[in-house]
Amino acid sequence: MGSIAALEEAKASGFNPMVSVILSRQGSSYSVNADEEEKASLCIVRRAGFLSPTREHTHHLRQKLSALCAVRMATQDLYLFFHGLPLPKIVHSEESLEDFRKFKVQNDDIFVISYPKSGTTWMQEIIPLLLNGGDLTPVESIPNWERVPWLEETRAVLFLDKLSAPRTMVSHMPYPLMPPTFSSSKAKAIYIARNPKDVLVSSFYFHQMASFLDDPGTFEEFMDKFLAGQVLFGKWTDHVKSWRNTDLGDRIFYITYEELIQDLRGALERMLRFLGRQMSEEALDRVTEHCLFKNMKKNNMSNYSLVPQEVMDSSKSHFLRKGIAGDWKNHFSPELEDKFNAVIQKELEGSGINFPWD
């Protein structure tokens, strides 16, 4: 049985499809020995809701899912490269990226675009509520990767056909690599950016807790990799410049993580206008309260607590950490700050891009 059919069967049985992060669309991403596979199947059975898994259950899921427990792999085994950008193999494949490029964008589609660790999860919480009039039911009952899927990832195939119009999707891709039908359509995009120093700090902790990413090393070592673009989706500066220098006109809306912190309600009102939606004051109050970071962090459909500990180890760091601006000040020495600022300023020179943290 192919991995997609296996995932569909597992999902119908109550299996959390987020565990597809340890699968590829063509089966197991890696070869494992019998002991490792047995451990993997047991951990998946437990996540599937079988509190006392039998060996028959274990053997069945092992055959169906070709799973492995998440272990820290060699760096060369963790990533595939798409136009020079490193992407984690655990949620990307050659086939999923080909599907991404061939995706048929519809005129009423809505895309949330971001560089990793810039507020994607927050937007996955916000946008469905703005579109449905403030009904909290979907965001409290459907995992965020299912209600607003990543278009380039392997698990997108499970959910895209089930989205109702207007379809809402997220992507970390730079503008030139978006599907050709995106630029020729009337689809809208919301681009969320964040202070790159805070992006770096968040990425550093994400690498510590995610077993499918390479060990970040020391903070200074990871900063050097970040500035060189040797991290997920390449350089931060390349990404933000690609989405600022577009011909999308009024089809794109720019917002920052910091604006969500400073005035969430005002940010929601501006996004409503961009999306052409209206909402009662009562509903807007409800959405604003729910989408405060401290409240969103408690939502198990959004905080990644459904993901197995073997994949994301919350004992090392929570996926949703502090939700504040300026945490970088607790990590940068004056020397590191000067070095970081010099590189970022040089690479943004002449772009005309200004951010609220500048």
Side-chain angles (χ1 to χ4, degrees):
M1 177 183 289
S3 60
I4 292 301
L7 282 169
E8 289 285 13
E9 177 178 328
K11 184 182 177 185
S13 301
F15 171 67
N16 174 5
M18 181 58 194
V19 183
S20 65
V21 297
I22 59 175
L23 301 172
S24 76
R25 288 176 63 176
Q26 297 303 315
S28 177
S29 297
Y30 311 103
S31 60
V32 293
N33 63 39
D35 289 340
E36 290 172 330
E37 198 168 359
E38 182 79 359
K39 287 169 60 183
S41 299
L42 283 168
C43 80
I44 288 177
V45 170
R46 287 195 295 270
R47 286 287 167 172
F50 300 111
L51 299 181
S52 300
T54 65
R55 187 161 295 276
E56 288 76 19
H57 279 138
T58 301
H59 180 69
H60 175 72
L61 282 180
R62 184 172 63 200
Q63 286 185 320
K64 299 291 186 183
L65 301 174
S66 302
L68 59 107
C69 270
V71 293
R72 189 72 74 174
M73 307 293 290
T75 299
Q76 64 268 24
D77 294 325
L78 293 171
Y79 305 106
L80 62 81
F81 288 82
F82 184 62
H83 294 267
L85 303 180
L87 313 181
K89 285 183 179 180
I90 210 162
V91 286
H92 299 85
S93 68
E94 297 291 348
E95 184 181 356
S96 74
L97 294 170
E98 182 180 356
D99 289 347
F100 168 78
R101 290 292 292 167
K102 293 179 178 179
F103 183 72
K104 302 298 183 183
V105 177
Q106 298 175 5
N107 287 331
D108 60 351
D109 284 343
I110 299 167
F111 289 84
V112 172
I113 307 293
S114 68
Y115 185 83
K117 312 310 293 180
S118 298
T120 319
T121 302
W122 210 345
M123 297 302 290
Q124 286 174 303
E125 197 83 355
I126 289 171
I127 300 303
L129 295 175
L130 298 184
L131 293 174
N132 73 12
D135 179 7
L136 300 181
T137 304
V139 299
E140 292 179 339
S141 59
I142 303 172
N144 60 0
W145 55 80
E146 182 172 346
R147 60 180 126 95
V148 188
W150 273 269
L151 186 56
E152 60 264 23
E153 292 191 355
T154 52
R155 59 180 178 251
V157 69
L158 293 173
F159 310 124
L160 288 173
D161 290 342
K162 301 174 184 178
L163 297 179
S164 57
R167 300 182 300 181
T168 306
M169 296 153 280
V170 293
S171 178
H172 288 320
M173 287 294 181
Y175 179 67
L177 297 184
M178 288 293 286
T181 53
F182 173 75
S183 58
S184 62
S185 73
K186 297 180 181 179
K188 293 184 175 182
I190 297 177
Y191 187 93
I192 182 166
R194 186 183 188 184
N195 186 322
K197 291 195 280 286
D198 280 328
V199 170
L200 169 61
V201 170
S202 183
S203 298
F204 177 70
Y205 284 103
F206 186 44
H207 273 254
Q208 289 184 340
M209 62 96 70
S211 63
F212 52 89
L213 301 177
D214 60 308
D215 191 298
T218 67
F219 184 76
E220 183 172 3
E221 289 170 342
F222 189 68
M223 186 185 83
D224 288 340
K225 291 176 63 177
F226 182 89
L227 292 174
Q230 298 171 356
V231 291
L232 300 181
F233 291 88
K235 284 188 176 183
W236 178 86
T237 49
D238 288 345
H239 198 281
V240 296
K241 286 192 294 185
S242 78
W243 279 98
R244 286 298 179 112
N245 299 318
T246 71
D247 55 359
L248 296 178
D250 60 3
R251 289 174 49 200
I252 189 165
F253 178 88
Y254 298 102
I255 196 163
T256 65
Y257 191 95
E258 290 73 16
E259 288 174 285
L260 296 183
I261 294 173
Q262 293 166 2
D263 181 12
L264 179 59
R265 185 187 176 92
L268 298 182
E269 290 174 336
R270 296 199 305 277
M271 284 188 277
L272 276 171
R273 289 194 292 271
F274 172 72
L275 296 171
R277 298 289 173 134
Q278 295 182 343
M279 185 177 289
S280 69
E281 291 296 313
E282 179 183 357
L284 187 56
D285 287 341
R286 181 169 61 250
V287 172
T288 302
E289 180 66 19
H290 174 83
C291 290
L292 290 172
F293 189 90
K294 65 179 182 180
N295 294 332
M296 179 186 66
K297 189 174 181 177
K298 301 174 186 176
N299 183 2
N300 289 338
M301 296 295 107
S302 303
N303 62 17
Y304 284 78
S305 61
L306 299 178
V307 179
Q309 190 85 347
E310 295 84 358
V311 179
M312 291 184 180
D313 189 350
S314 59
S315 69
K316 296 179 179 178
S317 176
H318 290 290
F319 180 80
L320 297 177
R321 290 193 326 113
K322 297 183 178 181
I324 63 174
D327 189 39
W328 65 267
K329 297 174 184 177
N330 298 317
H331 298 78
F332 279 73
S333 67
E335 294 75 21
L336 288 183
E337 182 184 1
D338 289 343
K339 178 180 179 180
F340 188 93
N341 288 343
V343 173
I344 297 297
Q345 289 169 6
K346 181 178 180 180
E347 294 187 355
L348 290 181
E349 187 176 358
S351 67
I353 300 175
N354 295 304
F355 291 106
W357 53 80
D358 291 337

